[in-house]
Amino acid sequence: MDSAVLEQWRLAAELGSRGLYGQAEGIVTDLLASGDLHARVLGEALLGSHRRQLGDPACARFHDDLGLQAWEASSLEADWPYVDLLINRAADAVGLGDLDDTGYWLRTAEALAASGDPRTAVRAEWVRAELLLARDEPAAALAVLDGLQLPLARLRSPRHAVRSRMLRGSVLQALGEDDAARVELDRALADAVKGLWHSLVWPAALVRARLARDGVERDRYLDIARAMIELILLDLHPSRAAAFEATLPKEITPEIAG
């Protein structure tokens, strides 16, 4: 794969993690316009991920399907960008509430997974944990997340470690282990703030607010979530910003500017 394409993809992914989805989309547009199949597929996968993070799994599925169709129309053998799209489709299905579909895409990704690729392994297990949580099996979800220590160590990505910790905090909350969930979420939140990963800050702060011991603590975490969302909204096209805002939970939206 062209190293320049990979650099563009990495930059757009990092911008998205910082909540700068509008800036990321400018780079993705260049990838989609490329004559290089890998560039187009990576661009569609990133758009899918970013649309899902902005609360639009149906739009995410559209872009992920475009990427899958482009790859399947080529003569390329399955590689990590293709597996990435399969994992994306599983995540889209969770967002759309189609849990059987999620299982199908995860099994397909597992059968074709690039051997030894820790990033796809981590992403697949995130979705598996979300699927189990949606099926009201938090203990099984926790076991999945606890099994990520080795692939996370191999991946050596602080951002992926933060997201794993954030998911673990949500699972602990579902298990009723509120004290452990607070510790996990506070660690995830502190690291996300330090890394400027605003796309992780606001959901971590929101879950932490729901675990607050009193109203003062709850408002403090909600203020953190609102501040991050306001930054995200500033970088979005007005129509995209309005669509994202419409998906936000009620405890945040009344206080957002305007």
Side-chain angles (χ1 to χ4, degrees), residues 188-209:
L189 188 55
D191 288 343
V193 169
K194 182 179 178 181
L196 301 178
W197 297 313
H198 299 156
S199 66
L200 298 178
V201 170
W202 79 263
L206 175 61
V207 178
R208 184 61 181 83

Side-chain angles (χ1 to χ4, degrees), residues 115-176:
S115 177
D117 178 26
R119 181 178 167 278
T120 52
V122 167
R123 294 190 73 243
E125 294 304 84
W126 285 346
V127 180
R128 195 180 311 281
E130 290 170 351
L131 171 61
L132 289 166
L133 196 57
R135 287 178 170 164
D136 198 23
E137 299 178 47
L142 184 62
V144 167
L145 294 173
D146 285 347
L148 284 178
Q149 292 184 11
L150 182 57
L152 282 171
R154 291 182 57 214
L155 184 58
R156 294 187 294 181
S157 166
R159 176 162 56 86
H160 285 73
V162 169
R163 188 166 193 274
S164 297
R165 190 172 295 131
M166 185 179 77
L167 285 174
R168 196 172 186 277
S170 296
V171 171
L172 287 167
Q173 179 197 26
L175 284 167

Side-chain angles (χ1 to χ4, degrees), residues 168-169 172 177-185:
R168 196 172 186 277
L172 287 167
E177 298 183 22
D178 289 358
D179 288 341
R182 290 185 191 101
V183 170
E184 200 78 324
L185 288 164

